[in-house]
């Protein structure tokens, strides 16, 4: 039987040093390795997070005329990070430069807050209650 696939998360950012500081501060991750001058591996989440420095306005793909735009944007992919203390994590995120989009709100599975990082990527902080997602599972 083949080994299961592994998830690796890559985020394009226009300023690698700033992004590294932001994600290390907010998520408590640490640098694993640097991949040349334009990429860094961050470890400490369940999947490694690679920050890739790519200029705004550059072509996103040879197959598409779209260009990278680091203003807040909508994408169907975002990061959810489970934390023990959402109030503390929210404060750290805001101090690091995150834009708080919703404040902390209650949900059947716990408490959640939605943000944009300084580069336009969306992410959520979630503090699960004892039921977690089982509270909404069918």
């Amino acid at each position: 039987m083949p080994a299961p696939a592994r998830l690796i998360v890559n985020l394009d950012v226009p300023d690698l040093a700033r992004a590294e500081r932001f994600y290390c501060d907010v998520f408590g991750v640490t640098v694993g390795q640097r991949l040349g001058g334009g990429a860094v591996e961050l470890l400490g989440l369940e999947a490694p997070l690679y920050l890739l420095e790519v200029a705004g306005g550059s072509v996103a793909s040879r197959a598409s005329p779209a260009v990278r735009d680091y203003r807040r944007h909508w994408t169907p992919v975002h990061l959810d990070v489970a934390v023990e203390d959402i109030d503390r994590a929210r404060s750290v995120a805001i101090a690091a430069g995150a834009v708080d989009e919703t404040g902390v709100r209650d949900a059947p599975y716990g408490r959640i807050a939605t943000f944009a990082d300084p580069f336009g990527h969306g992410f959520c902080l979630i503090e699960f209650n004892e039921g977690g997602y089982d509270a909404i599972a069918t």
Side-chain angles (χ1 to χ4, degrees):
M1 175 179 282
R6 291 181 344 155
L7 178 65
I8 298 171
V9 178
N10 292 278
L11 286 180
D12 293 352
V13 297
D15 182 334
L16 187 61
R18 183 176 177 206
E20 181 182 323
R21 283 189 307 274
F22 178 83
Y23 281 98
C24 287
D25 288 349
V26 174
F27 297 149
V29 295
T30 58
V31 172
Q33 58 185 336
R34 295 186 187 283
L35 308 168
V40 63
E41 173 190 54
L42 301 179
L43 302 173
L45 299 171
E46 291 182 44
L49 174 62
Y50 290 86
L51 302 177
L52 311 174
E53 188 168 49
V54 185
S58 61
V59 176
S61 164
R62 285 184 273 176
S64 169
V67 296
R68 287 176 179 82
D69 178 355
Y70 289 109
R71 294 174 295 164
R72 178 63 168 119
H73 52 82
W74 169 251
T75 176
V77 177
H78 66 274
L79 301 176
D80 282 354
V81 178
V83 297
E84 295 294 319
D85 181 344
I86 197 167
D87 297 311
R88 182 188 149 307
R90 178 179 172 266
S91 295
V92 169
I94 292 167
V99 176
D100 184 351
E101 296 180 331
T102 62
V104 176
R105 58 193 195 280
D106 291 325
Y109 48 83
R111 300 169 70 211
I112 184 170
T114 304
F115 300 87
D117 76 4
F119 318 102
H121 303 99
F123 71 93
C124 299
L125 297 174
I126 301 173
E127 179 184 301
F128 286 110
N129 60 24
E130 55 283 341
Y133 280 149
D134 288 345
I136 59 173
T138 57

